[in-house]
Every structure is written in structure tokens, then in C-alpha cells.
Amino acid sequence: MPEVIFNDEQLQEKLKEWQKRLRLQDWIIEARICRIHELMPDSLANIHPTLEKKAALIKIMDPIDYDPTFMLPYDMENSLVHELLHLHLWPITGDDEERKHHIAEEQAIECITSGLLSALRFK
């Protein structure tokens, strides 16, 4: 798998594209490329939704901070889609402080993300 790296303009284009595909056009979503210190520990991206306003901020790690020793090449589109999918599950899983289902949710979202991207990229 090759790296998928975006500049800010490309990230915004992909955000619009994936909002439409995932039927999230009714959300106000901002996506930013951020340095690693702006993200939660051990993450490539984070989402910060406000359900009442249907608004969200997605922070995606700047490629400059990606550790080249990771198993897979850096894929910013994967991170974007993964975070967008959280919006569909957030009303169910939300900010549950115990996050009892956190691992299962992350695994499910990662499988769905991988399937969507594979279907698109390898037609």
C-alpha cells in the first residue's frame, strides 16, 4: 500500500467527498492537519463532535510526525474516513467515560474504513 498524503486543499476536497458518501452533509465539519502534540496520545487523528449543533472538528496528524517504523504507510484518507464514521456511532457510544465498548467500536470502524477504501481504490 502506498502512502496517501494530502495538503490542506486536498484534505478539504476529500472531506466533502466523504461527507457525501457517508451521508454526513448535514454536519458542519472542519478538518485540520495538526502536529502530534495537538492530538490525543497514540493517535493519528481525533474527532471532537458537538451533537446538538451537528458540528465536528477532525484533527489529522501532519505527515512530518508520522513514525516511519509503523507497520503501514501513512494514509490520511483512512484517518479521515475513520473519524467521520465515528459520527454515525457517537449517539450510541458517545462520551461514555467508562468506554466499555471502545475497543469493539474502534475495531468495527477500522474494518468498515478498510472495506470502503479497498472497494474504491481497487475497483
Side-chain angles (χ1 to χ4, degrees):
M1 278 177 61
E3 282 188 323
V4 178
I5 305 295
F6 300 135
N7 62 33
D8 186 60
E9 184 179 326
Q10 293 165 326
L11 178 62
Q12 302 314 314
E13 289 174 20
K14 284 294 179 178
L15 172 61
K16 288 178 188 172
E17 181 183 315
W18 280 104
Q19 270 189 267
K20 185 176 180 179
R21 276 195 182 112
L22 297 174
R23 298 183 182 198
L24 293 166
Q25 302 101 306
D26 58 332
W27 279 77
I28 299 166
I29 304 171
E30 181 181 348
R32 291 185 197 157
I33 299 171
C34 298
R35 297 301 305 265
I36 196 166
H37 65 272
E38 299 175 72
L39 299 170
M40 291 173 22
D42 301 319
S43 65
L44 300 175
N46 303 135
I47 189 162
H48 305 279
T50 304
L51 289 180
E52 301 79 24
K53 295 182 179 182
K54 280 198 154 184
L57 170 62
I58 296 174
K59 295 179 179 181
I60 297 179
M61 185 172 61
D62 191 315
I64 200 165
D65 292 320
Y66 189 73
D67 183 348
T69 65
F70 283 173
M71 290 186 344
L72 299 171
Y74 191 35
D75 187 337
M76 293 174 80
E77 187 171 22
N78 184 306
S79 294
L80 176 66
V81 173
H82 178 105
E83 297 306 322
L84 287 169
L85 286 169
H86 275 293
L87 292 176
H88 283 300
L89 296 178
W90 203 270
I92 300 165
T93 58
D95 280 328
D96 177 18
E97 290 186 24
E98 294 178 32
R99 299 291 285 160
K100 296 175 189 172
H101 300 68
H102 179 70
I103 292 173
E105 176 186 352
E106 287 297 322
Q107 289 173 340
I109 286 175
E110 198 51 42
C111 287
I112 294 166
T113 300
S114 179
L116 288 169
L117 289 172
S118 292
L120 260 162
R121 292 176 180 172
F122 306 112
K123 288 182 180 180

